[in-house]
Amino acid sequence: MTFYEQLVLQAQQSFQSNYSTYAQGKTPIKLSTKQPEKYETQIDQFSKMLNDAEYVVIGGASGLSAAGGGDFYYTDTPSFYENFGKFSEKYGFKGAFAGMQYPFPNRETYWGYLATFLHTTLNAPVRQPYQDLAAILQDKDFDIVTTNQDTQFIKEFDETKVSEIQGDHRFFQCSNACTDDVWDATKSIDQMIQAMGDDTQIPTDLIPHCPHCGAEAFPWVRGYGNFLEGKKYQEEYTKISNALLSHQGAKTLFIELGVGRMTPMFIQEPFWTLSYNLPNASYISVNRDNAFLPEQLENKGLAMQNDIAKVLHDVRNQLVEAKNDK
């Protein structure tokens, strides 16, 4: 088991032991009671912490993509109707994740919906927060760990710098996990979309199956079923683990962006552990709804409860202005 996976496992155990607290949108970790500075001061602090860091670790979760317009997952936003309107009109659900749980009348319709979902994320342009983040990191040594499967990070950053520890919409796996293989899903998705047209179901013969055992496939993403924690999964954890271990003595800044309350174990709590235990580490959280700062990190951390897109854009602008003033 890799170093970072051990941190995740510890956090998962805490989550299970304190589930009722997490389910209320809270944390069992004692939080700082310090009053936050005004927004402009926080932007100054963010910029200074970034400039001072020798190494930056980004933790990107769903709130980051939502801040850039990928907000169709949980409710009936305009982007939801734009991309999933024909399914919502016919079946009445609201939010892309609600569609994942909907009891469609047959597998052809299920795959029509799933192909639409995957096609939407895979073909979305790089959202502005990711562009701003890339500009912010332009002159820094950095690595990224993400629970997002929407491929936004790998569209903007070198894939060797990105650890996708919860899967990737570009790949299928066997639903029986008969093999360690994951394989390209993009061509199959394009074929399904083209064949479906304005309808809501695909031809039966386009439902993807495992090339080894013939079982139905599903996306290599946690949440669809028997998520394959095989070779590629381990490769993703190895990337972030090796990166962290090779920078142990560096002045490291952990930046957590958009972690939701149901998945604090993959980024948020490992970042808290690392920020506390590494003597040269500091920590920033940016979250629209819950920007938590543990009491133990209040002297080496910053929590900004604000729009992620605005924060990253303002930090980018401040760094550009400071560079121009030199």
Side-chain angles (χ1 to χ4, degrees):
M1 183 178 292
T2 61
F3 166 66
Y4 195 82
E5 195 175 1
Q6 290 176 359
L7 295 176
V8 170
L9 179 60
Q10 292 170 8
Q12 286 177 321
Q13 292 171 342
S14 172
F15 185 85
Q16 292 168 357
S17 300
N18 299 280
Y19 181 76
S20 60
T21 299
Y22 288 105
Q24 298 174 55
K26 300 177 182 178
T27 175
I29 307 300
K30 188 175 182 180
L31 299 177
S32 172
T33 57
K34 286 176 63 176
Q35 290 298 307
E37 301 283 353
K38 64 181 182 179
Y39 178 75
E40 292 75 14
T41 302
Q42 290 183 320
I43 293 295
D44 289 341
Q45 292 174 328
F46 190 127
S47 300
K48 184 178 186 306
M49 292 169 74
L50 186 68
N51 281 327
D52 289 346
E54 297 170 334
Y55 176 56
V56 180
V57 184
I58 300 296
S62 60
L64 177 59
S65 286
D71 56 356
F72 46 72
Y73 295 99
Y74 296 103
T75 188
D76 53 338
T77 61
S79 67
F80 168 72
Y81 286 117
E82 178 184 353
N83 293 291
F84 307 99
K86 64 182 180 182
F87 291 94
S88 179
E89 182 179 351
K90 190 170 183 177
Y91 297 106
F93 58 80
K94 298 178 180 180
F97 283 155
M100 296 298 184
Q101 307 301 320
Y102 189 84
F104 290 108
N106 51 56
R107 299 306 288 173
E108 290 81 1
T109 306
Y110 170 80
W111 272 102
Y113 179 77
L114 185 52
T116 301
F117 176 78
L118 297 171
H119 188 265
T120 297
T121 59
L122 291 172
N123 289 277
V126 178
R127 304 187 189 282
Q128 189 62 48
Y130 290 88
Q131 297 178 41
D132 289 333
L133 184 61
I136 287 169
L137 296 173
Q138 187 174 9
D139 299 322
K140 307 300 295 189
D141 182 10
F142 71 91
D143 284 287
I144 296 165
V145 57
T146 183
T147 52
N148 293 347
Q149 302 121 353
D150 60 7
T151 69
Q152 283 285 303
F153 271 117
I154 61 164
K155 289 174 183 174
E156 183 65 27
F157 297 92
D158 187 326
E159 196 164 348
T160 62
K161 307 294 288 181
V162 181
S163 299
E164 297 177 305
I165 60 173
Q166 291 296 284
D168 184 319
H169 287 171
R170 295 175 298 167
F171 301 100
F172 283 149
Q173 68 160 87
C174 175
S175 58
N176 287 337
C178 80
T179 174
D180 195 35
D181 293 344
V182 298
W183 62 93
D184 178 73
T186 59
K187 293 179 181 178
S188 178
I189 292 165
D190 288 343
Q191 289 173 345
M192 285 187 271
I193 292 297
Q194 185 174 359
M196 178 169 53
D198 294 330
D199 200 354
T200 56
Q201 64 180 40
I202 65 167
T204 303
D205 62 358
L206 288 184
I207 295 174
H209 292 84
C210 174
H212 301 278
C213 73
E216 191 170 308
F218 64 69
W220 181 65
V221 169
R222 189 181 298 279
Y224 287 91
N226 189 21
F227 180 55
L228 182 62
E229 297 183 357
K231 179 181 177 182
K232 183 162 178 57
Y233 174 87
Q234 291 300 325
E235 287 174 350
E236 298 303 308
Y237 269 100
T238 297
K239 271 194 286 186
I240 187 61
S241 296
N242 288 348
L244 289 168
L245 291 171
S246 66
H247 289 86
Q248 288 184 81
K251 194 171 184 180
T252 301
L253 173 61
F254 293 91
I255 303 178
E256 172 206 318
L257 300 170
V259 171
R261 295 316 307 138
M262 294 306 294
T263 54
M265 68 287 289
F266 296 111
I267 293 173
Q268 185 178 79
E269 293 189 6
F271 275 25
W272 288 352
T273 299
L274 290 163
S275 299
Y276 178 71
N277 286 294
L278 294 174
N280 295 321
S282 55
Y283 166 80
I284 295 175
S285 169
V286 187
N287 196 298
R288 185 194 65 184
D289 300 317
N290 297 289
F292 290 162
L293 181 65
E295 183 179 65
Q296 291 181 318
L297 295 178
E298 66 180 13
N299 294 321
K300 58 190 307 190
L302 171 66
M304 300 184 67
Q305 189 159 318
N306 215 302
D307 177 59
I308 297 173
K310 175 176 172 56
V311 170
L312 293 179
H313 196 65
D314 288 346
V315 170
R316 176 183 183 176
N317 286 340
Q318 184 167 100
L319 293 174
V320 169
E321 290 174 6
K323 186 177 292 187
N324 291 338
D325 288 342
K326 289 183 178 180

